[in-house]
Amino acid sequence: MRSNMMTVTRHKLLALFGLLIALHVPHMATAAEPFQWDSRVQRGQLANGFSYYIVSGGKEMGSQVALQLMVRVGSLDETNDQSGVAHMVEHMVFHTTKSHPEGLKNYMEGLGWRIGRHYNAQTNFERTLYQLTTDKKPQRIDAGLGVLADIAGGALIPADGLERERQIILEEWRTKLGVRERMDKQRRAMLREGSLYPERPTIGTDASIRQQPAQALRKFYADWYRPANMALIIVGNVDVETLRPRIERAFGSLVPAALPGRNAADPHLRDQLRITRLQDPESGTSQVGWVTRFAADKRQDGAGLRERIIDRIAERSLRALVRQAAEELPSGVSSLSSSRGELGESTSSLGFAASVAIDGHKAGLREILSVQERVRREGLRADDIRKEIAEVRRLNEKGPAQQAARDFSGWLQMLDEAVESNRPLQDPLQKQAQITRILDDLNPADINARVRQWIDAPDRVLFLIAPGLSPLTLPSAVEVGSLQQELAQRPLAPLAGIKKDVAPARMADIASGGAIVRDDDLGEGVRRWTLQNGDALIWRHAPKDTVM
């Protein structure tokens, strides 16, 4: 027990030392220079607090115009008795409205707009987005603005309409009952433990969908659909100056009001080691993983940008180290990977995962903890850090030209992300200059301090997955601590050389897990396929003529 405590204390001292290094940087690199908006984005705010953002272009925009209404409310803002209400409101605003008693959906269909092709809506934990795409004819744009204005303040949400819509929402809920969704629910509960995310499923529950009264939806709508909580996004070949008065006419009469208090988005971080299992009768995955959670710097200025660049270089350099460590794995361990994620407004995570045989969880855990111990002692490889810094420089040189060349879809995606995150879409020349200064000031110590801070974060979770409901014995915290102590006292084995050839995965193996639902390029010839059954398959391809 005494030596266990010495190991933990040493780890905390290393984390503190790394944090002090990260904070000791020259003034030039950390100057809190506020971000300037890209001049292509024309912005405005009405007297009632309603905001709008317009990107106008020429031929590169084509003939389409995107009109989107973003409401900054989602399931995370629901109270305990409002499960699923945010999503149900999204459905009901297309029914009877003040301007269209026949139904807003019927009016839109009469204009030739079809759901899925011309208009749609999405609700997630943090926001609700209404999307409409039309042509640039002034009368069509005015009709679109009128539709979004009706959604913003004219929905009536009648009880009889809700009874008809419940069946549609229930059918949507039923489509989310598969193994992938069930495993995702368990992962969310694990990763976001200590926050409301696990308790606020966007779709709601079977009971809440059946029982929520129209009055509850109308109250939620009245509370949150207020002009200061909304933003209009327009992208296309449009005339900005003629649009401004039309936006005023459509949305200027919306009545402002104070918003209810928001629920906290971030989990409560603690000094803890949670050990848990994730299992489902239909899952074929066998895996062991380790996740740390920690605060992240989301400031929208030069100092925050510096922190995010360090994060990127640290994450990708760590990934390269893990890939090399995975070139020689013991029997029972088939893959090893690392990834970083976002868990809230100011919380991030670092995860390690090893795919293992049914009886290989102990071996997988040993590999994960061995990589962490290597990072503590040796840090990341200097060549990997230099390579990632060079890659950021390369991308930074292209940044302004690439942003200027964005097409219709590119601008829409960038603007959506900026408005949803409540951050500026930064001026590309300002960003380029800031990144250049930051990169000139960085050194390997900054990067190593960051990754050590991540792996030694006190909020940790160890999770094990076994196929189906296979028996699975979880280790105790004492056993995990003993393994960490053992590895801390062992000499480090040299990393294996990168192999010249890696046999490609057989497509038959992929097909057996169902359709590929996500394809991620991890760089350097490594791809990760997420299959329909929730499994993930990682394949590294090395051309035969590659010199390693």
Side-chain angles (χ1 to χ4, degrees), residues 136-179:
K136 61 181 182 180
K137 294 176 183 177
Q139 63 269 30
R140 302 291 278 186
I141 293 176
D142 284 341
L145 292 175
V147 163
L148 295 181
D150 236 18
I151 290 173
L156 298 179
I157 312 181
D160 57 345
L162 176 58
E163 293 310 311
R164 293 190 299 270
E165 195 68 22
R166 286 189 202 275
Q167 299 309 311
I168 296 173
I169 300 172
L170 281 168
E171 186 57 34
E172 186 177 346
W173 174 80
R174 291 186 190 100
T175 65
K176 299 182 180 296
L177 298 180
V179 58

Side-chain angles (χ1 to χ4, degrees), residues 418-534:
V419 175
E420 180 174 354
S421 303
N422 200 23
R423 60 174 174 79
L425 180 54
Q426 192 180 3
D427 175 82
L429 293 178
Q430 181 199 37
K431 185 175 183 178
Q432 185 182 54
Q434 286 180 330
I435 291 177
T436 297
R437 292 195 298 269
I438 290 167
L439 293 176
D440 289 344
D441 181 61
L442 288 183
N443 59 67
D446 298 316
I447 312 305
N448 280 313
R450 180 59 46 82
V451 77
R452 286 173 176 140
Q453 180 185 347
W454 291 346
I455 66 174
D456 286 321
D459 193 305
R460 301 148 291 153
V461 58
L462 166 64
F463 68 90
L464 281 71
I465 307 175
L469 299 179
S470 303
L472 188 57
T473 301
L474 299 180
S476 67
V478 171
E479 290 171 328
V480 174
S482 297
L483 179 56
Q484 289 177 306
Q485 175 191 353
E486 174 197 336
L487 295 172
Q489 295 172 350
R490 280 176 173 264
L492 293 174
L495 284 172
I498 299 177
K499 299 175 183 178
K500 292 186 177 181
D501 265 315
V502 177
R506 295 182 302 155
M507 294 309 295
D509 293 335
I510 299 174
S512 68
I516 297 173
V517 296
R518 180 169 174 174
D519 182 358
D520 296 306
D521 185 352
L522 304 183
E524 298 188 7
V526 179
R527 303 194 76 85
R528 176 174 60 209
W529 292 301
T530 302
L531 308 182
Q532 198 170 37
N533 68 355

Side-chain angles (χ1 to χ4, degrees), residues 166-428:
R166 286 189 202 275
Q167 299 309 311
I168 296 173
I169 300 172
L170 281 168
E171 186 57 34
E172 186 177 346
W173 174 80
R174 291 186 190 100
T175 65
K176 299 182 180 296
L177 298 180
V179 58
R180 186 183 181 197
E181 287 74 19
R182 295 196 300 269
M183 290 297 289
D184 281 349
K185 182 179 179 180
Q186 293 184 54
R187 291 187 183 96
R188 187 182 306 119
M190 172 193 71
L191 290 172
R192 297 179 183 265
E193 184 266 349
S195 77
L196 283 176
Y197 282 94
E199 301 174 29
R200 297 290 190 269
T202 300
I203 192 68
T205 65
D206 176 73
S208 68
I209 295 169
R210 294 180 185 277
Q211 297 171 9
Q212 287 292 354
Q215 181 181 355
L217 276 65
R218 288 194 288 265
K219 183 180 187 309
F220 189 88
Y221 180 78
D223 284 345
W224 292 103
Y225 280 60
R226 293 294 178 176
N229 200 39
M230 301 180 190
L232 176 68
I233 298 168
I234 301 178
V235 175
N237 188 354
V238 295
D239 183 280
V240 176
E241 293 312 311
T242 62
L243 267 177
R244 293 184 192 273
R246 292 149 73 186
I247 293 171
E248 173 72 44
R249 285 196 299 270
F251 298 94
S253 61
L254 295 175
V255 179
L259 298 174
R262 291 191 183 275
N263 294 322
D266 290 288
H268 176 62
L269 301 181
R270 293 170 288 179
D271 189 342
Q272 62 178 351
L273 171 60
R274 291 178 289 132
I275 302 174
T276 187
R277 74 184 73 214
L278 311 179
Q279 286 191 273
D280 185 272
E282 297 180 23
S283 173
T285 301
S286 187
Q287 192 179 71
V288 57
W290 182 280
V291 178
T292 57
R293 307 190 302 177
F294 40 84
D297 193 329
K298 300 295 180 70
R299 288 175 294 173
Q300 296 300 310
D301 56 26
L305 180 60
R306 182 183 191 275
E307 298 304 298
R308 288 188 289 279
I309 288 175
I310 291 175
D311 289 346
R312 174 199 163 96
I313 295 169
E315 176 187 7
R316 294 177 70 88
S317 299
L318 174 62
R319 189 184 298 168
L321 177 67
V322 171
R323 275 202 299 268
Q324 186 167 353
E327 292 294 339
E328 277 194 10
L329 294 172
S331 176
V333 183
S334 57
S335 73
L336 181 65
S337 61
S338 66
S339 62
R340 185 172 172 272
E342 305 299 326
L343 300 181
E345 291 180 353
S346 58
T347 307
S348 296
S349 65
L350 177 68
F352 295 85
S355 297
V356 298
I358 294 178
D359 59 351
H361 292 88
K362 288 183 179 179
L365 176 60
R366 175 178 286 272
E367 291 303 305
I368 289 172
L369 297 181
S370 295
V371 169
Q372 294 180 6
E373 183 60 32
R374 183 178 298 278
V375 173
R376 291 189 186 97
R377 293 195 219 174
E378 297 181 348
L380 303 172
R381 297 177 300 184
D383 284 349
D384 291 332
I385 295 174
R386 284 192 290 268
K387 178 180 176 182
E388 294 303 330
I389 290 176
E391 176 64 8
V392 176
R393 285 192 189 277
R394 184 187 72 81
L395 295 173
N396 191 43
E397 290 172 1
K398 293 183 175 183
Q402 285 184 331
Q403 189 151 319
R406 294 278 182 181
D407 59 8
F408 174 84
S409 298
W411 276 109
L412 189 57
Q413 179 181 349
M414 289 175 65
L415 196 52
D416 276 350
E417 291 173 355
V419 175
E420 180 174 354
S421 303
N422 200 23
R423 60 174 174 79
L425 180 54
Q426 192 180 3
D427 175 82

